């Protein structure tokens, strides 16, 4: 097989198997629900209408959008090229175009738009130090910009007061604390409103997507884990009094993370999703009645940019589900519980062609947190043959990501695909996610010998024809495995794979964001460990073909 054919194969690994594919873009200030179909068609549903208007648009759809009041525009942050450069862009629906609103010297980390669209606050971060500067960007033709102040650490801009005099900022200088700041936009004076420190090894999870301040400024919703048992493993939704620090848990004590939530306009209902490795359930919590309610758990909910959109005034939710080969866009009323399907795709033929099996791979560690092994799933053609099937083992990037068990086509006819959510993947609890950190990196690769043995004992699979495939960190898994176990696997393909751990741990962008996971090379023992576990140092051990594709 040629390298270009392999590149095409890897590119298709994560593609949707559906006839039509839908993405949740947002709800604008006119309460129009905006959906993207197949990445090139905009569907707009107006309030109190059951039909969509269709527009062919060339705008960007791969980012969370902030819609401007009374304008057909949205702002979003997008990565540029292969460098870690992030710019602020505008989607102009009327002109069918996307253009830069602000091009920073460093990278745009967060932004917040004033309700009257007069300006946006932009926090630009300096990647080597992870400190930065707060600017005011005027959203006129000239796009004037003025500096407000310098800020330490990571800063997520939350909300402004009605007079645009103050802004609330969620600030974190390290993984051990999170603070809510109130900054005067005229004087740059900062007041600490609320601070929370890590304790009892409790996993801190304060960031922009997981914090919502009430209009009074005295209450907030946010997510983090608890302090003991199962609550220590999974991220929950909490209500906190920002003056007293008293916290009340709102989400149920179940296996799964709360990664998304939203609050209704009257601040009486909060809607959230509990996600256990791609298996999602929609909930609401009535903040007046103090009552939890399950909204939807019938069919798998797909995450397309977001897991759901909330019309905060009408209290209606929009989400995409998958049922028997069909993708559906649904509307659900929080109060009544009534649900209706607005649009759906044609049935995907792969549902009748591919068999999906989920299994747990036993490894040396009998348990990893709440997991009894490594979660995997296997795709097999339903059409049986008398010969053993070659196996393509797919590794996701990250490493702090995961693949979901959704139907997909095999990479090639007459083959089996095996997806491994290796240790370090998200979605299976904090212990599992941190099981590859620091000096545990080698365990990620050790688990592959157990995968080989599992494949060997399955009479449907050919253990002599196992090809490893992955991109980014998945590419590291390929190269590290092929150098650690040079005789076990038939070949490998790495796209933009990591080969030198020391170069990753000293990358300006990653300092402070992945150092705890990859390891701090200022520690001589860690530097030696990373060199030992970097596949670039063992090229002489490679016995089988590895195709390494880079940008």
């Amino acid at each position: 097989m040629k390298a270009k054919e392999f590149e095409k194969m890897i590119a298709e690994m994560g593609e949707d198997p559906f006839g039509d594919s839908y993405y949740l873009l947002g709800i604008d200030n006119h309460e129009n629900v905006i959906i993207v179909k197949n990445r090139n068609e905009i569907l707009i549903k107006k309030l109190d209408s059951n039909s969509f208007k269709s527009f062919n648009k060339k705008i960007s759809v791969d980012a969370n959008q902030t819609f401007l009041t009374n304008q057909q525009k949205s702002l979003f942050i997008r990565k540029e090229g292969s460098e870690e450069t992030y710019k602020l862009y505008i989607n102009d629906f009327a002109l069918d175009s996307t253009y830069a609103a602000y091009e920073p010297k460093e990278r745009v980390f967060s932004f917040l738009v004033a309700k009257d669209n007069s300006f946006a606050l932009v926090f630009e971060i300096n990647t080597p130090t992870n400190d930065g500067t707060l600017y005011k960007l005027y959203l006129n033709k000239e796009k004037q910009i003025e500096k407000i102040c310098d800020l330490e650490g990571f800063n997520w801009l939350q909300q402004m007061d009605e007079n645009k005099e103050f802004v609330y900022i969620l600030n974190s200088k390290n993984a051990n604390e999170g603070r809510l700041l109130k900054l005067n936009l005229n004087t740059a004076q900062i007041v600490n409103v609320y601070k929370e420190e890590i304790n009892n090894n409790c996993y801190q999870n304060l960031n922009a997507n997981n914090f919502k301040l009430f209009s009074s400024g005295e209450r907030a919703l946010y997510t983090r884990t608890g302090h003991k048992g199962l609550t220590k493993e999974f991220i929950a939704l909490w209500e906190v009094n920002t003056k007293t620090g008293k916290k009340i848990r709102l989400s149920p004590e179940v296996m799964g993370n709360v990664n998304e939530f939203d609050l209704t306009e009257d601040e009486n209902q909060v809607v959230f999703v509990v996600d256990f490795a791609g298996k999602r359930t929609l909930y609401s919590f009535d903040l007046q009645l103090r009552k939890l309610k399950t909204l939807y758990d019938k069919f798998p909910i797909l995450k397309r940019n977001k897991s759901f959109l909330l019309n905060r005034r009408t209290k209606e939710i929009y989400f995409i589900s998958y049922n028997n080969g069909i993708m559906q866009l649904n509307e659900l009323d929080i109060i009544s519980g009534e649900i209706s399907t607005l649009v759906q795709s044609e049935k995907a033929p792969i549902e009748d062609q591919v068999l999906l099996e989920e299994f747990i791979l036993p490894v040396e560690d009998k348990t990893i947190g709440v997991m009894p092994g490594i979660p995997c799933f296997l795709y097999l053609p339903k059409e049986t043959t008398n010969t053993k099937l070659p196996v393509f083992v797919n590794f996701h990037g990250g490493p702090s990501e995961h693949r979901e068990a959704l139907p997909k086509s095999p990479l090639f006819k007459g083959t089996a695909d095996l997806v491994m959510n290796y240790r370090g993947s998200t979605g299976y609890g904090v212990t599992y996610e941190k099981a590859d950190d620091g000096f545990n990196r080698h365990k990620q690769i050790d688990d592959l010998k157990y995968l080989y043995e599992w494949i060997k004992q399955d009479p449907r699979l050919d253990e002599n024809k196992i090809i490893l495939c992955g991109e980014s960190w998945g590419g590291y898994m390929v190269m590290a495995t092929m150098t650690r176990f040079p005789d076990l696997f038939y070949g490998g393909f790495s796209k933009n794979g990591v080969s030198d751990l020391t170069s990753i741990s000293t990358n300006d962008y990653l300092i402070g964001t992945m150092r705890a996971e990859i390891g701090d090379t200022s520690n001589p023992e860690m530097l030696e460990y990373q060199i030992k576990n970097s596949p670039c140092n063992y090229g002489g051990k490679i016995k089988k073909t590895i195709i390494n594709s880079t940008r």
Side-chain angles (χ1 to χ4, degrees):
M1 180 179 295
K2 295 180 180 179
K4 286 187 177 179
E5 292 176 329
F6 255 97
E7 283 220 33
K8 182 176 183 293
M9 177 189 76
I10 296 296
E12 291 174 349
M13 280 184 186
E15 290 195 354
D16 287 320
F18 315 104
D20 291 322
S21 189
Y22 300 99
Y23 297 81
L24 301 172
L25 197 60
I27 298 178
D28 68 12
N29 296 95
H30 295 291
E31 298 182 329
N32 297 321
V33 180
I34 303 177
I35 310 296
V36 178
K37 179 181 177 181
N38 297 333
R39 295 183 178 270
N40 60 7
E41 184 179 355
I42 301 295
L43 302 179
I44 298 180
K45 176 188 178 295
K46 293 187 177 294
L47 187 66
D48 300 326
S49 170
N50 291 323
S51 61
F52 283 85
K53 286 187 177 181
S54 176
F55 304 90
N56 289 320
K57 295 289 181 182
K58 300 176 183 177
I59 64 171
S60 176
V61 301
D62 292 328
N64 290 329
Q65 314 277 317
T66 295
F67 288 88
L68 303 186
T69 307
N70 299 322
Q71 293 188 30
Q72 291 182 292
K73 295 179 181 178
S74 63
L75 266 68
F76 65 98
I77 298 172
R78 185 170 72 184
K79 180 180 176 182
E80 281 293 298
S82 60
E83 301 299 322
E84 300 295 343
T85 302
Y86 291 76
K87 299 179 181 179
L88 186 63
Y89 277 85
I90 289 179
N91 269 337
D92 193 317
F93 291 83
L95 297 179
D96 193 11
S97 64
T98 300
Y99 51 90
Y102 176 59
E103 301 188 40
K105 294 179 181 178
E106 298 290 340
R107 64 184 290 254
V108 175
F109 186 79
S110 65
F111 71 95
L112 181 66
V113 180
K115 287 185 178 180
D116 63 0
N117 297 334
S118 58
F119 65 88
L121 298 176
V122 181
F123 176 63
E124 180 180 339
I125 197 167
N126 180 293
T127 47
T129 64
N130 286 328
D131 297 328
T133 304
L134 181 65
Y135 294 99
K136 179 185 285 187
L137 172 68
Y138 291 94
L139 297 175
N140 49 30
K141 292 182 180 180
E142 290 75 24
K143 298 187 181 66
Q144 297 169 301
I145 189 163
E146 62 182 48
K147 178 180 175 179
I148 297 176
C149 64
D150 293 323
L151 293 170
E152 295 181 346
F154 299 96
N155 291 275
W156 294 273
L157 305 173
Q158 296 299 306
Q159 65 189 54
M160 279 181 267
D161 68 320
E162 292 294 331
N163 297 321
K164 299 175 292 185
E165 294 180 358
F166 298 94
V167 60
Y168 288 93
I169 303 173
L170 193 63
N171 167 270
S172 180
K173 295 181 182 179
N174 52 58
N176 298 323
E177 68 174 28
R179 298 184 299 162
L180 182 64
L181 309 178
K182 184 179 181 181
L183 185 146
N184 187 308
L185 294 173
N186 298 314
T187 65
Q189 182 181 4
I190 296 175
V191 176
N192 281 295
V193 178
Y194 173 70
K195 178 180 178 180
E196 180 167 303
E197 295 182 355
I198 194 169
N199 54 68
N200 297 329
N201 294 320
C202 187
Y203 178 70
Q204 186 70 51
N205 192 50
L206 290 178
N207 65 50
N209 297 320
N210 300 314
F211 190 96
K212 179 72 175 178
L213 190 68
F214 285 75
S215 56
S216 65
E218 297 180 358
R219 298 160 64 204
L221 299 170
Y222 79 120
T223 58
R224 63 168 289 172
T225 56
H227 299 273
K228 59 184 179 180
L230 188 64
T231 67
K232 195 173 178 179
E233 284 291 328
F234 293 100
I235 299 168
L237 177 64
W238 303 79
E239 180 184 0
V240 60
N241 184 307
T242 57
K243 288 189 174 182
T244 65
K246 181 180 179 181
K247 296 182 288 292
I248 302 173
R249 180 175 177 136
L250 304 183
S251 58
E253 291 191 16
V254 296
M255 290 178 64
N257 293 322
V258 178
N259 292 323
E260 297 177 69
F261 65 88
D262 204 350
L263 186 65
T264 57
E265 187 177 80
D266 60 11
E267 300 185 340
N268 289 334
Q269 301 273 347
V270 57
V271 178
F272 60 95
V273 170
V274 174
D275 184 338
F276 180 67
K279 297 175 176 63
R280 302 179 181 91
T281 302
L282 263 173
Y283 293 91
S284 68
F285 190 92
D286 191 310
L287 295 166
Q288 285 189 320
L289 301 178
R290 314 305 297 181
K291 185 176 181 181
L292 179 70
K293 179 180 179 181
T294 301
L295 294 176
Y296 188 87
D297 61 358
K298 188 175 182 182
F299 298 118
I301 297 173
L302 304 181
K303 184 172 183 177
R304 289 298 183 269
N305 284 345
K306 301 177 181 180
S307 297
F308 70 93
L309 298 175
L310 170 65
N311 186 321
R312 295 168 182 164
R313 186 184 66 82
T314 64
K315 301 184 180 181
E316 293 168 322
I317 304 171
Y318 301 88
F319 65 95
I320 296 170
S321 63
Y322 177 81
N323 175 28
N324 194 30
I326 297 174
M327 184 185 284
Q328 298 175 323
L329 173 64
N330 306 295
E331 180 182 70
L332 187 150
D333 187 290
I334 298 175
I335 306 303
S336 68
E338 292 183 5
I339 184 171
S340 58
T341 299
L342 301 177
V343 64
Q344 67 181 36
S345 68
E346 295 180 359
K347 184 174 181 178
I350 62 161
E351 190 77 19
D352 301 321
Q353 300 171 359
V354 179
L355 181 68
L356 171 61
E357 297 180 358
E358 298 185 57
F359 67 95
I360 299 295
L361 175 70
V363 292
E364 182 177 0
D365 296 323
K366 301 304 179 184
T367 59
I368 309 172
V370 299
M371 298 303 296
I374 308 297
C376 305
F377 33 97
L378 179 68
Y379 297 96
L380 296 162
K382 285 187 177 180
E383 184 179 329
T384 58
T385 64
N386 294 324
T387 58
K388 288 187 174 184
L389 298 173
V391 183
F392 287 89
V393 178
N394 300 327
F395 303 113
H396 62 75
S400 296
E401 297 177 12
H402 69 265
R403 286 271 176 86
E404 298 179 15
L406 291 172
K408 63 182 283 294
S409 300
L411 295 177
F412 297 99
K413 188 175 181 179
T415 67
D417 286 4
L418 193 152
V419 175
M420 181 184 189
N421 280 327
Y422 48 76
R423 68 172 73 210
S425 300
T426 56
Y428 300 98
V430 173
T431 301
Y432 191 87
E433 183 179 344
K434 293 180 177 294
D436 67 325
D437 287 6
F439 288 103
N440 291 316
R441 178 65 49 211
H442 66 283
K443 292 185 178 182
Q444 250 182 355
I445 310 305
D446 287 347
D447 293 338
L448 268 295
K449 64 185 178 184
Y450 296 98
L451 182 66
Y452 173 82
E453 293 298 329
W454 188 93
I455 293 173
K456 186 177 180 180
Q457 58 81 39
D458 192 318
R460 301 167 298 179
L461 307 178
D462 189 344
E463 72 274 15
N464 295 314
K465 293 183 179 178
I466 305 172
I467 298 177
L468 310 179
C469 310
E471 181 175 4
S472 189
W473 197 264
Y476 169 80
M477 295 290 295
V478 172
M479 292 186 286
T481 302
M482 296 293 287
T483 53
R484 178 80 63 81
F485 306 113
D487 297 310
L488 290 188
F489 301 99
Y490 184 78
F493 179 78
S494 166
K495 183 179 180 182
N496 301 327
V498 175
S499 61
D500 185 358
L501 293 179
T502 62
S503 67
I504 292 295
S505 60
T506 55
N507 179 285
D508 283 346
Y509 168 64
L510 296 176
I511 291 175
T513 60
M514 291 183 68
R515 176 169 281 178
E517 182 167 13
I518 305 301
D520 187 350
T521 52
S522 64
N523 177 351
E525 292 182 1
M526 175 54 68
L527 177 60
E528 181 181 355
Y529 178 81
Q530 289 190 359
I531 292 172
K532 183 179 178 181
N533 286 276
S534 294
C536 65
N537 299 318
Y538 301 96
K541 290 189 174 184
I542 297 173
K543 295 183 179 181
K544 306 293 179 64
T545 300
I546 298 178
I547 298 177
N548 187 20
S549 171
T550 58
R551 291 187 180 96

